[in-house]
């Protein structure tokens, strides 16, 4: 695949620049000569008329077979032609074998085998597989054996022939072996090779008619000229050789060659008949084989191997074969077409060829397609395409395409400017600035333009212009022309590459590149390091080639171009160098360079100073060379000399016989060969005569040359001094530069002395202009920098330069031929910028530098006032660094790293420029966010899960969460819940630790807290069950104690009353009592206070103490109430009737008096009056607060509460009720220890007079108890019998009914276990007992007794003392062991005494007390 080389420069001059052709060419030369070629587009509107006479123009084009143009392809074709000729001379046809479906490249195979040591060496070392691989065949397919067979059959005989081996031996052996392989003769894939016959085609005379250019088909033989000059039709000798090779005829390998040669002349001399040179016989004439070269004859059966038939075609004997194959090759050249074309007929042919070839209209074929197809065709040997090219058509014969003065083409007035325009190729070579003006002869192609008529694929091969001159080509019209060029400095490199790649061509034709017949693919040259450039020249465009620039190309289609050479003053040194190069190649010159130099020197006064200076240098070199050569000739003995006017001789008569150089200043001749001469370089090559017989012919003596040189020197001297000074300044090194003012002085000098406007002066002015502009810009930069130092805002200044611009500008300042004072300041600025860039590079090389360092560097860069691309990167990196630091800072404080913080950081990081550190940090942050979101969601789900998770599951989750460095609210809440659950479990365990009985309040509070903890708490269900049991117990107790539709609560009923009587009296009493009692810390004035005190009590002892205190208050309040109510009925001075009853009216009608509060009530105001039983104490609705169940119903409640093992105010109150009951019973027993025959305590026999007050107190206390006791009924009955019935009702018409029945006996549970706190030690000390109140209470009671008329009112509880509770807790055993500890086990007698005993004192275990009835010793021994 062809890869187009880079494009050459294209220039578009302005009208002002276009007005001076050579001035513009000199201007672009520094750029264009580096590419060898360039393209110039004239200004728009420059369109010269086409002046060529189309009807009169006719020409015979050259025939170009494309694959013969390319050097490497031509080498292969020449090789194949030689092989085909070698075999055809022996009567065989060459066929090209096919291997692996590809045509075998015999040339490459031949070269590789030769490089590997020859056929024998390759066979011996078995390297055929390696050769197959080098030829591009795939391994493993036994291709090597096929290559060996083909080489041995086709190429090996030719190799032996080239090596000088005995053909009589080698060919016979090889062909004999080939004849034994008939299997290779039927390969139909092999294609017969048709040779190109290059020498014969180049000698063919043009025929009258010839077919137009088209794809060639090698199916017919071609005409070639015989040795006798006759044109005859013969089969083409060069045939393609396949797997089958016809067996050539050779003589037997017998030692009769000399005999044959000796007898040959003898036989011919004696008889004129054909005889076999092997056997000497002349018989079997029909089997005689005659050599087509020398007419020697051989019997077919005498050949080895013998032939059965006479071979078809020509046959050569070995001697003739050696002669034919040993002929030197003919130089390659283009043959002329067989017909003559006009411009119109050639255009029709060209358009038809292109449209047929590409199968599309000519204007639609892309130039790229044509270019690739062209280089494909020139590189193939299997496909021939022949085109024709009308090249080198002399414009003087048919007229130029540009209009000329006095020409046949008449221009319009508006086009007359084109007649004298410098870009008119007829004018350019003879302009004043062109040195070709001083060449007297009209040289076609150099001074006179040549015309070129091209068609598709027609090409011009690699070449340089004659005398290494400039060339200019203008495409008048038609399709583009594609050019390729190499710069002049690469000329020798290109030549060496082509010689190395195709050495066979240069061996036979050393000046091949000067013949314009060889092309080579630009890609191949570029692969070997040759710089190649290309361009497409369109109609109306110029292409200029520079001195010694190789160029080639081809035409895209039918077009018309015109070209000419020109030489400027800068070419002069190259022109003289070219003459030396031509002399080394023995190449003729187009004109004499010395003659041109002398002609220019003869007009020194009118020369421009630049040209005079250049010619003066060239002439100086010429004179020195001539002086050296003449001295050499004199030393050789040439003393004869004569002056010859070589101007009058044609160039052909003054060419050196050796090197073909055109002589002008001098030449050597010899009388022996007067028609020949040689230059002074080749005096030894003239003849064998001695040098003294030679004659030196000269044009000028050295003395005559001196005036010419002096004239040039005088013309150029002043300018030369000035130019030397200018050149010295312009080329001065950095340390020797002059200042700008000195350059200005040189321009002033040139203007004062009126020096011509030379390129040097223009260059000097350009340098000064550049220096002035740089000075002004540098000053502006420095001023702008100082002015913008304090400007506000952060935008880019309009005066800011990029670093590249600053560096380029500083380099430009230092590259100036002069010095400017602002340069050091800008250099210092550049150094700071470079230092900043280095620091930036070092800092940015770090993975993630600190933000402080980046900010510091940014501040420094902002102060440079230069557009620094690093600033953008630094700002980006600063944002990245700040973000990374923010992430790190947030990560270092996990307590503040919330999900919102992470999301905010991620949102900030998304907008940052990508960076590895940012990506890593972002990945970690996103991973952390993902993990946190996952755990937050998981923690939330755990918190809201129903049923709740176990604490173990949550603790495992917390352990994982603890490793996450972030603030997770749900996880923290989960952790708090777990901690709360742990604390709750600890509290729950502590409530019941050591056999403790928890309180209901604490238990309820604990359960309530547990419900707010979203953790599955194993003790919770048990505690809730306890609370449920407690609630069930409370409901059962309420059913037992509370009246129907009662407004009192269970606690209010069970607790002693803390509010009795009027509120005023209570408040006054509370006030009176609170003054002396300053040590009382807890108020017990209301049920709420009592309930709070009970709930906060730590144990049962403190609860009992609290209830005892409330009970004491109850007794005090009740005593005051009874006294107050009884005082109502005493006579008063006011004689006001008291208000009684619930209705608060005066007594009237039947009245009832409450046995407890002693207040009177109307019978009609008391509900259930008719249901009142006689013999029983009546209580008013305010004093009767409960059902007063019997003790046997109450005890199971306490037992069930003990089983529940929960302390609650109601339970403590119930326990206190039972304790009061037991104490009361105990007091009753103390008062009357005798037993009634039926088991009841009898009170009738008591001394009522002495025990009146105590019995009354017992009765009041019994009435206050919320339990029905038979002892109370008995006590009441005894007291009732003591007084008259009227004591029960104040005004009653009816008698008080008798008691209908006795109270039932208490029924005791068969088994109970009482757990009691130890009353000793520190617990006993903590109980506060009202020791000081006892005397006061006793005194008050004594005062009340005096005012009391009822015996019941005088009854007081004298047995209640500070140790009353201790009395209750005394073991009834005779020998109590007084056990100590926090928990003491008790047992109650299941007999008739109901006394309590320590289990350890009576020898009862806990299991026996629980499962069996216990009867004390007293009950067992009692008869009842």
């Amino acid at each position: 695949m062809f890869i187009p080389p880079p494009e050459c420069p294209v220039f578009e001059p302005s009208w002002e620049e276009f007005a001076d052709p050579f001035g513009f060419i000199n201007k672009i030369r520094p750029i264009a000569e580096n590419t060898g070629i360039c393209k110039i587009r004239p200004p728009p509107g420059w369109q010269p008329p086409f002046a060529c006479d189309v009807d009169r123009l006719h020409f015979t084009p050259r025939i170009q077979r494309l694959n013969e143009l390319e050097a490497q392809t031509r080498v292969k074709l020449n090789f194949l032609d030689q092989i085909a000729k070698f075999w055809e001379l022996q009567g065989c046809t060459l066929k090209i074998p096919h291997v692996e479906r590809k045509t075998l490249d015999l040339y490459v195979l031949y070269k590789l085998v030769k490089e590997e040591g020859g056929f024998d060496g390759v066979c011996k070392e078995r390297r055929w597989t390696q050769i197959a691989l080098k030829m591009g065949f795939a391994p493993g397919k036994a291709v090597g054996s096929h290559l060996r067979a083909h080489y041995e059959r086709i190429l090996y005989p030719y190799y032996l022939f080239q090596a000088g081996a005995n053909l009589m031996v080698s060919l016979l052996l090889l062909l004999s072996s080939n004849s034994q392989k008939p299997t290779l003769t039927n390969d139909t894939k092999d294609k017969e090779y048709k040779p190109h016959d290059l020498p014969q085609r180049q000698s063919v005379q043009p025929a009258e008619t010839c077919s137009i250019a088209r794809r060639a088909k090698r199916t017919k033989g071609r005409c070639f000229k015989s040795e006798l000059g006759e044109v005859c039709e013969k089969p083409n000798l060069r045939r393609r050789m396949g797997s089958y090779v016809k067996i050539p005829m050779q003589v037997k390998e017998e030692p009769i060659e000399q005999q044959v040669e000796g007898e040959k002349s003898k036989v011919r001399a004696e008889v004129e008949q054909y005889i076999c040179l092997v056997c000497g016989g002349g018989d079997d004439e029909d089997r005689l084989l005659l050599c087509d070269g020398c007419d020697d004859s051989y019997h077919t059966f005498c050949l080895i191997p013998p032939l059965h038939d006479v071979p078809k075609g020509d046959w050569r004997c070995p001697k003739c074969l050696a002669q034919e194959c040993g002929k030197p090759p003919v130089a390659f050249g283009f043959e002329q077409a067989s017909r003559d074309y006009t411009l119109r007929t050639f255009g029709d042919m060209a358009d038809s060829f292109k449209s047929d070839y590409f199968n599309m209209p000519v204007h639609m074929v892309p130039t790229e397609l044509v270019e690739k197809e062209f280089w494909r065709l020139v590189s193939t040997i299997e496909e021939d395409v022949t085109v024709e090219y009308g090249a080198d058509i002399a414009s003087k014969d048919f007229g130029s395409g540009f209009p000329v003065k006095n020409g046949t083409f008449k221009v319009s007035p508006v086009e007359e400017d084109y007649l004298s325009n410098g870009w008119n190729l007829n004018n350019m070579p003879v302009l004043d600035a062109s040195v070709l003006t001083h060449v007297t002869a009209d040289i076609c192609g150099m001074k006179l333009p040549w015309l070129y008529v091209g068609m598709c694929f027609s090409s011009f091969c690699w070449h340089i212009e004659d005398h290494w001159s400039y060339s200019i080509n203008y495409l008048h019209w038609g399709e583009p022309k594609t050019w390729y060029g190499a710069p002049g400095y690469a000329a020798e490199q290109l030549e060496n590459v082509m010689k190395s790649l195709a050495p066979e061509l240069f061996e036979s034709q050393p000046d091949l590149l000067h013949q314009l017949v060889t092309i080579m693919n630009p890609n191949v040259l570029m692969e070997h390091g040759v710089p190649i450039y290309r361009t497409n020249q369109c109609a109306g465009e110029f292409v200029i080639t520079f001195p010694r620039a190789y160029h080639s190309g081809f035409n895209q289609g039918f077009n018309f171009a015109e070209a000419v050479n020109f030489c400027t003053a800068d070419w002069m040194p190259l022109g003289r160098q070219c003459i030396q190069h031509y002399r080394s190649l023995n190449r003729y010159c187009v004109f004499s360079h010395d003659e041109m130099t002398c002609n220019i020197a003869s007009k020194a006064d009118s020369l421009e100073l630049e040209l005079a200076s250049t010619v003066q240098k060239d002439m100086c070199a010429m004179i020195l060379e001539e002086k050296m050569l003449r001295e050499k000739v004199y030393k050789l003995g040439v003393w004869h000399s004569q002056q010859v006017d070589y101007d009058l001789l044609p160039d052909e008569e003054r060419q050196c016989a050796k090197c073909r150089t055109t002589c002008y200043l001098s030449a050597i001749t010899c009388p022996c060969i007067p028609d020949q001469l040689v230059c002074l370089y080749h005096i030894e090559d003239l003849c064998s005569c001695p040098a003294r017989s030679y004659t030196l012919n000269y044009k000028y003596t050295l003395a005559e040359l001196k005036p010419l040189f002096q004239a040039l020197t005088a013309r150029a001297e002043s300018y030369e001094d000035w130019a030397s000074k200018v050149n010295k300044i312009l080329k001065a090194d950095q340390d020797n530069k002059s200042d700008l003012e000195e350059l200005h002085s040189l321009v002033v000098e040139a203007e004062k002395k009126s020096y011509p406007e030379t390129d040097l002066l223009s260059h000097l002015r350009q340098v000064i202009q550049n220096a002035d502009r740089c000075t002004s810009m540098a000053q502006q930069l420095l001023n702008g920098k100082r002015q913008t130092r304090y400007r506000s805002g952060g935008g880019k200044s309009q005066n800011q330069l990029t670093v590249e611009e600053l560096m380029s500008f500083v380099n430009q300042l230092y590259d100036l031929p002069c010095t400017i004072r602002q340069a050091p300041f800008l250099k210092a600025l550049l150094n700071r910028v470079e230092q900043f860039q280095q620091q930036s590079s070092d800092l940015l090389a770090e993975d993630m530098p600190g933000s402080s360092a980046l900010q510091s560097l940014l501040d420094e860069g902002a102060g440079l006032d230069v557009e620094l691309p690093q600033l953008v990167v630094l700002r980006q990196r600063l944002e990245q660094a700040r973000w990374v630091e923010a992430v790190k800072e947030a990560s270092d404080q996990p307590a503040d790293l919330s999900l919102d913080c992470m999301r905010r950081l991620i949102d900030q990081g998304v907008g940052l420029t990508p960076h590895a550190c940012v990506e890593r940090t972002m990945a970690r942050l996103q991973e952390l966010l993902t993990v946190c979101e996952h755990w937050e969601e998981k923690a939330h789900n755990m918190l809201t899960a129903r049923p709740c998770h176990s604490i173990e599951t949550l603790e495992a989750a917390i352990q994982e969460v603890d490793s996450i460095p972030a603030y997770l609210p749900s996880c923290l809440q989960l952790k708090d819940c777990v901690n709360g659950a742990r604390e709750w479990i600890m509290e729950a365990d502590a409530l019941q630790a050591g056999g403790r009985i928890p309180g209901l309040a604490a238990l309820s509070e604990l359960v309530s807290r547990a419900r707010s903890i979203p953790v599955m708490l194993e003790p919770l269900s048990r505690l809730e069950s306890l609370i449920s049991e407690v609630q069930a117990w409370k409901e059962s107790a309420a059913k037992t104690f509370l009246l129907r539709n009662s407004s009192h609560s269970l606690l209010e009923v069970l607790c002693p009353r803390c509010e009795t009587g009027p509120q005023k009296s209570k408040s006054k009493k509370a006030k009176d009592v609170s003054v002396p009692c300053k040590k009382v810390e807890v108020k017990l004035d209301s049920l709420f206070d009592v309930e709070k005190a009970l709930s906060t009590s730590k144990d049962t002892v403190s609860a009992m103490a609290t209830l005892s205190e409330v009970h004491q208050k109850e007794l005090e309040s009740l005593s005051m109430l009874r006294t107050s109510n009884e005082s109502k009925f005493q006579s008063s001075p006011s004689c006001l009737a008291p208000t009684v009853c619930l209705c608060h009216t005066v007594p009237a009608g039947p009245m009832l008096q409450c046995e407890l509060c002693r207040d009177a009530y109307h019978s009609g105001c008391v509900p259930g009056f008719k249901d009142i039983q006689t013999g029983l104490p009546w209580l008013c609705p305010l004093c009767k607060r409960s059902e007063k169940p019997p003790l046997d119903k109450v005890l199971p409640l306490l037992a069930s509460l003990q089983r529940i093992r929960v302390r609650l105010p109601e339970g403590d109150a119930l326990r206190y009720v039972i304790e009061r009951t037991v104490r009361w019973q105990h007091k009753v027993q103390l008062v009357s220890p005798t037993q009634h025959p039926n088991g009841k305590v009898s009170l009738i026999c008591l001394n009522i007079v002495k025990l009146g007050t105590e019995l009354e107190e017992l009765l009041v206390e019994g009435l206050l108890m919320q339990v029905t006791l038979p002892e109370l009924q008995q006590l009441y009955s005894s007291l009732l019998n003591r007084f008259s019935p009227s004591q029960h009702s104040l005004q009653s018409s009816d008698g008080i009914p008798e008691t209908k029945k006795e109270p039932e006996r208490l029924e005791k549970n068969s088994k109970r276990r009482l757990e009691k706190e130890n009353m000793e030690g520190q617990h006993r000390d903590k109980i506060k007992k009202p020791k000081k109140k006892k005397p006061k209470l006793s005194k008050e009671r004594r005062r009340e007794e005096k005012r009391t008329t009822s015996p019941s009112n005088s009854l007081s509880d004298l047995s209640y003392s500070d140790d009353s509770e201790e009395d209750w807790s005394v073991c009834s055993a005779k020998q109590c062991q007084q056990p100590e500890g926090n928990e003491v086990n008790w047992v109650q007698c299941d007999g008739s005494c109901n006394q309590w005993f320590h289990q350890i004192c009576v020898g009862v275990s806990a299991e026996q007390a629980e499962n069996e009835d216990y009867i004390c010793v007293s009950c067992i021994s009692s008869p009842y």
Side-chain angles (χ1 to χ4, degrees), residues 1033-1080:
W1033 182 87
K1034 290 175 68 175
E1035 292 177 1
S1036 176
K1039 291 180 180 178
T1040 302
F1041 283 95
L1042 297 183
L1043 296 171
R1044 183 176 298 177
N1045 300 326
S1046 174
S1047 61
H1048 300 292
S1049 65
L1050 179 61
L1051 181 62
E1052 188 176 3
V1053 169
L1054 295 179
C1055 284
R1057 288 189 296 178
C1058 51
E1059 296 177 358
T1060 57
Q1063 187 65 27
K1064 289 183 180 180
S1065 300
K1066 176 184 176 185
S1067 301
K1068 184 177 179 181
K1069 184 66 179 178
K1071 182 176 180 181
D1072 295 339
V1073 174
S1074 62
V1075 173
C1077 300
K1078 295 182 179 179
K1079 293 184 179 180
V1080 179

Side-chain angles (χ1 to χ4, degrees), residues 53-101:
D53 190 350
V54 177
D55 297 329
R56 195 166 62 90
L57 175 63
H58 63 89
F59 58 93
T60 301
R62 300 171 182 173
I63 296 177
Q64 293 181 335
R65 291 175 174 82
L66 298 185
N67 57 2
E68 294 176 2
L69 300 178
E70 213 279 328
Q72 293 175 298
T73 309
R74 191 192 304 163
V75 170
K76 293 183 180 180
L77 293 175
N78 289 340
F79 176 79
L80 293 177
D81 285 352
Q82 292 175 11
I83 297 295
K85 181 179 180 181
F86 172 77
W87 285 112
E88 190 153 0
L89 289 176
Q90 302 175 74
C92 298
T93 302
L94 175 63
K95 290 187 177 181
I96 307 296
H98 281 70
V99 178
E100 294 294 323
R101 299 181 181 180

Side-chain angles (χ1 to χ4, degrees), residues 1119-1120 1123 1340-1348:
S1119 176
M1120 294 170 60
T1123 303
E1340 290 177 354
R1341 288 172 183 170
R1342 284 193 298 269
R1343 286 198 303 263
E1344 291 176 0
E1345 287 176 3
K1346 295 178 180 181
R1347 296 191 300 265
T1348 304

Side-chain angles (χ1 to χ4, degrees), residues 1139-1250:
T1139 58
V1140 294
C1141 194
L1142 297 174
C1143 59
H1144 298 285
T1145 58
V1146 295
M1151 300 294 291
L1152 295 176
Q1153 188 177 22
C1154 177
E1155 295 293 343
L1156 187 59
C1157 66
R1158 307 302 294 169
D1159 197 2
Y1161 294 86
H1162 299 103
S1163 59
C1165 294
V1166 176
F1169 168 73
K1170 297 179 180 181
D1171 296 333
I1172 296 176
Q1173 298 179 0
T1174 59
L1176 295 179
W1178 180 81
L1179 300 180
C1180 65
L1182 297 178
C1183 294
K1184 186 178 182 179
R1185 299 186 297 169
S1186 68
E1187 291 286 351
K1188 289 192 176 185
L1191 185 61
D1192 57 352
K1193 289 186 179 181
V1194 175
L1195 290 176
L1197 288 176
L1198 181 61
S1200 63
L1201 181 63
Q1202 289 177 345
R1203 287 194 298 272
I1204 295 175
R1205 297 184 62 79
V1206 176
R1207 282 186 59 245
L1208 67 160
E1210 291 83 354
D1212 292 336
L1214 180 62
R1215 184 184 299 273
Y1216 185 71
V1217 167
I1218 294 175
E1219 288 182 0
R1220 285 173 58 193
T1221 303
V1222 171
R1223 285 197 304 269
W1224 188 83
Q1225 288 178 338
H1226 184 64
K1227 291 178 181 179
V1228 171
Q1229 290 178 2
L1230 293 177
V1231 172
S1232 179
T1234 59
Q1235 298 290 330
H1236 194 270
N1238 60 359
K1240 307 287 184 181
V1241 178
S1242 177
L1243 300 177
I1244 301 176
C1245 60
L1246 293 177
N1247 189 351
I1248 299 176
V1249 176
K1250 296 181 179 180

Side-chain angles (χ1 to χ4, degrees), residues 521-651:
N521 196 315
N523 290 161
V524 176
L525 297 174
M526 294 171 67
E527 289 174 359
H528 289 78
V530 180
I532 304 296
Y533 300 89
R534 73 173 301 281
T535 190
N536 285 328
Q537 179 190 16
C538 300
E541 295 178 344
F542 291 96
V543 170
I544 295 179
T545 67
F546 285 78
R548 209 184 181 185
Y550 272 98
H551 52 279
S552 65
F554 67 93
N555 296 290
Q556 295 275 343
F558 179 48
N559 57 24
F560 188 96
E562 188 170 353
V564 76
N565 294 102
F566 65 91
C567 299
T568 56
D570 63 274
W571 164 84
M572 291 292 292
L574 291 174
R576 184 163 296 279
Q577 183 182 353
C578 179
I579 298 301
Q580 300 295 335
H581 180 70
Y582 281 179
R583 183 179 286 115
S584 65
L585 294 177
N586 297 330
R587 174 177 169 78
Y588 66 88
C589 300
V590 178
F591 59 88
S592 172
H593 188 86
D594 292 341
E595 181 181 1
M596 181 190 67
T597 302
C598 292
N599 290 339
I600 296 174
S602 64
K603 304 173 184 177
D605 295 338
S606 60
L607 293 179
E608 294 183 355
L609 289 178
E610 182 181 7
L611 180 58
S613 176
T614 304
V615 175
Q616 189 253 355
K617 294 177 183 178
D618 186 74
M619 191 171 186
C620 179
M622 180 188 71
I623 293 175
L624 291 176
E625 180 185 11
E626 185 65 21
K627 182 179 180 181
M628 180 193 67
L629 291 174
R630 289 187 185 187
E631 289 176 355
K632 175 186 175 183
V633 170
Y634 293 152
K635 290 179 181 180
L636 291 176
V638 179
W639 298 101
H640 300 284
S641 62
Q642 64 178 359
Q643 190 169 14
V644 179
D645 192 359
Y646 282 117
D647 294 338
L648 303 178
L649 293 178
D651 290 352

